[in-house]
Amino acid sequence: MAKNSASKKSKSSSKNSQDQQKQTRKPGELTRFQKVVIVLFVVVFAMSTLAGALASVFQSSQSDQTVELTVDNIDSQFESTVADLENTVSENPEDTTSLRSLGDNYMTWGSYVKVLAKNDADTEHSNELFEKAISAYDKILELGDDSDVRINRAMCQSYMGDYDGSIAALTELTEAEPDNASAWLNLGVVYRSNSQDDKALEVLNKAIELDPDDAEGIKSHAESIISSITGEDTTTDDTTTDDTGADDTATDTGADDTADTSSEQADGEN
């Protein structure tokens, strides 16, 4: 009897702990699994090798079991979170925080489906997710301008293959905010994705000029893309700088996602 009682208490304690973790997670916050997959996607996209570049299995950090990376499994990781956010937004259409989380989740979800797509149906599915992300971002922009949201929206266009629309949107942003290093970086990513390498080099060098100390991680990201274009290592030691502290090698070079996020997302291509 004592053993059974102890076992029940242990199971109850474990369940309470899991419930507490669910309660402490903020609305729209990505799960641990999603965050790990995000890192994998960012690395893959930064190398500009979307098709077949992601491993077929993923060793979950939450258990000793392997989780096969399929579109269905990725869908299952986002469906619940997105459904909750959709409900929140329907109750309060001006909740920009929830709208941003909704857009970011759709964008990230669509990115992974794009990576794992094996047929036209999967590709169509990823595009539908990007369109939903754009819809959420548009609602935010109707309530007020937001440069980060404009960048993410433009990157969704790029992921869907609308390079002209994405370039136009990012160019407009760089003209309105010429000191926005992230906008220049993402514009370079899109140019690179569209095989416009000369233009990519030009705007990536501009991004480097705006983040000479790599305070935002933009300089190093831009240099890695430049290296993929030129085949040369553009990074230098911190001691190799001019009077302004800018990296001579990077700026002399001449001028890939995500955002993140993506974002991060920047190279969201994230």
Side-chain angles (χ1 to χ4, degrees), residues 48 174 180-193 196-212 217-230 234 250-257 266-267:
S48 300
T174 59
N180 189 327
S182 181
W184 287 103
L185 172 65
N186 281 277
L187 180 56
V189 169
V190 178
Y191 274 134
R192 171 60 167 155
S193 298
Q196 299 183 57
D197 290 349
D198 289 343
K199 291 183 178 180
L201 290 170
E202 180 181 350
V203 299
L204 288 169
N205 255 353
K206 179 64 177 179
I208 291 173
E209 290 175 9
L210 293 170
D211 187 30
I218 289 174
K219 175 186 174 183
S220 56
H221 192 169
E223 287 180 337
S224 69
I225 302 173
I226 290 175
S227 294
S228 73
I229 296 173
T230 64
T234 61
T251 54
D252 287 345
T253 302
D256 284 280
D257 160 190
D267 202 314

Side-chain angles (χ1 to χ4, degrees), residues 152-196:
N152 282 359
R153 187 189 189 285
M155 295 311 293
C156 284
Q157 290 178 281
S158 174
Y159 302 153
M160 294 172 66
D162 181 13
Y163 295 115
D164 290 343
S166 180
I167 290 171
L170 290 169
T171 298
E172 180 181 357
L173 181 56
T174 59
E175 291 173 349
E177 301 179 16
D179 293 334
N180 189 327
S182 181
W184 287 103
L185 172 65
N186 281 277
L187 180 56
V189 169
V190 178
Y191 274 134
R192 171 60 167 155
S193 298
N194 197 32
S195 301
Q196 299 183 57

Side-chain angles (χ1 to χ4, degrees), residues 48-68:
S48 300
T49 53
L50 282 176
L54 203 57
S56 60
V57 294
F58 167 68
Q59 185 68 36
S60 173
S61 58
Q62 297 176 317
S63 69
D64 294 331
Q65 298 179 344
T66 58
V67 178
E68 185 180 4

Side-chain angles (χ1 to χ4, degrees), residues 31 43 72 79 96 98 113 120 145 166 173 183 185 201 224 245:
T31 65
V43 172
D72 286 343
E79 285 170 344
T96 55
S98 294
V113 173
D120 291 342
D145 194 22
S166 180
L173 181 56
L185 172 65
L201 290 170
S224 69

Side-chain angles (χ1 to χ4, degrees), residues 21-263:
Q21 289 178 356
K22 291 180 179 179
Q23 292 174 358
T24 55
R25 187 187 306 151
K26 298 178 181 178
E29 183 178 359
L30 300 179
T31 65
R32 189 175 183 182
F33 177 89
Q34 292 169 350
K35 290 178 181 178
V36 174
V37 177
I38 287 173
V39 174
L40 290 176
F41 175 78
V42 170
V43 172
V44 170
F45 212 99
M47 295 175 66
S48 300
T49 53
L50 282 176
L54 203 57
S56 60
V57 294
F58 167 68
Q59 185 68 36
S60 173
S61 58
Q62 297 176 317
S63 69
D64 294 331
Q65 298 179 344
T66 58
V67 178
E68 185 180 4
L69 280 180
T70 65
V71 170
D72 286 343
N73 282 342
I74 292 298
D75 285 350
S76 69
Q77 294 298 320
F78 284 90
E79 285 170 344
S80 176
T81 298
V82 165
D84 290 342
L85 286 167
E86 289 282 12
N87 289 333
T88 300
V89 169
S90 66
E91 295 174 359
N92 184 3
E94 296 187 359
D95 182 353
T96 55
T97 299
S98 294
L99 278 169
R100 175 64 185 269
S101 293
L102 180 62
D104 290 350
N105 271 273
Y106 271 131
M107 180 181 180
T108 305
W109 184 2
S111 299
Y112 305 141
V113 173
K114 181 179 178 69
V115 171
L116 297 169
K118 294 183 178 180
N119 49 51
D120 291 342
D122 290 342
T123 299
E124 183 178 353
H125 178 31
S126 70
N127 287 340
E128 289 174 349
L129 294 170
F130 289 133
E131 288 173 352
K132 289 181 179 180
I134 288 175
S135 177
Y137 292 143
D138 282 343
K139 292 175 182 177
I140 296 174
L141 295 175
E142 288 174 3
L143 298 171
D145 194 22
D146 187 310
S147 58
D148 290 338
V149 169
R150 290 172 67 182
I151 290 173
N152 282 359
R153 187 189 189 285
M155 295 311 293
C156 284
Q157 290 178 281
S158 174
Y159 302 153
M160 294 172 66
D162 181 13
Y163 295 115
D164 290 343
S166 180
I167 290 171
L170 290 169
T171 298
E172 180 181 357
L173 181 56
T174 59
E175 291 173 349
E177 301 179 16
D179 293 334
N180 189 327
S182 181
W184 287 103
L185 172 65
N186 281 277
L187 180 56
V189 169
V190 178
Y191 274 134
R192 171 60 167 155
S193 298
N194 197 32
S195 301
Q196 299 183 57
D197 290 349
D198 289 343
K199 291 183 178 180
L201 290 170
E202 180 181 350
V203 299
L204 288 169
N205 255 353
K206 179 64 177 179
I208 291 173
E209 290 175 9
L210 293 170
D211 187 30
D213 299 323
D214 207 26
E216 301 178 58
I218 289 174
K219 175 186 174 183
S220 56
H221 192 169
E223 287 180 337
S224 69
I225 302 173
I226 290 175
S227 294
S228 73
I229 296 173
T230 64
E232 301 175 357
D233 185 0
T234 61
T235 60
T236 62
D237 295 331
D238 291 338
T239 55
T240 309
T241 58
D242 58 18
D243 292 339
T244 62
D247 187 326
D248 288 338
T249 302
T251 54
D252 287 345
T253 302
D256 284 280
D257 160 190
T258 131
D260 327 294
T261 60
S262 339
S263 239

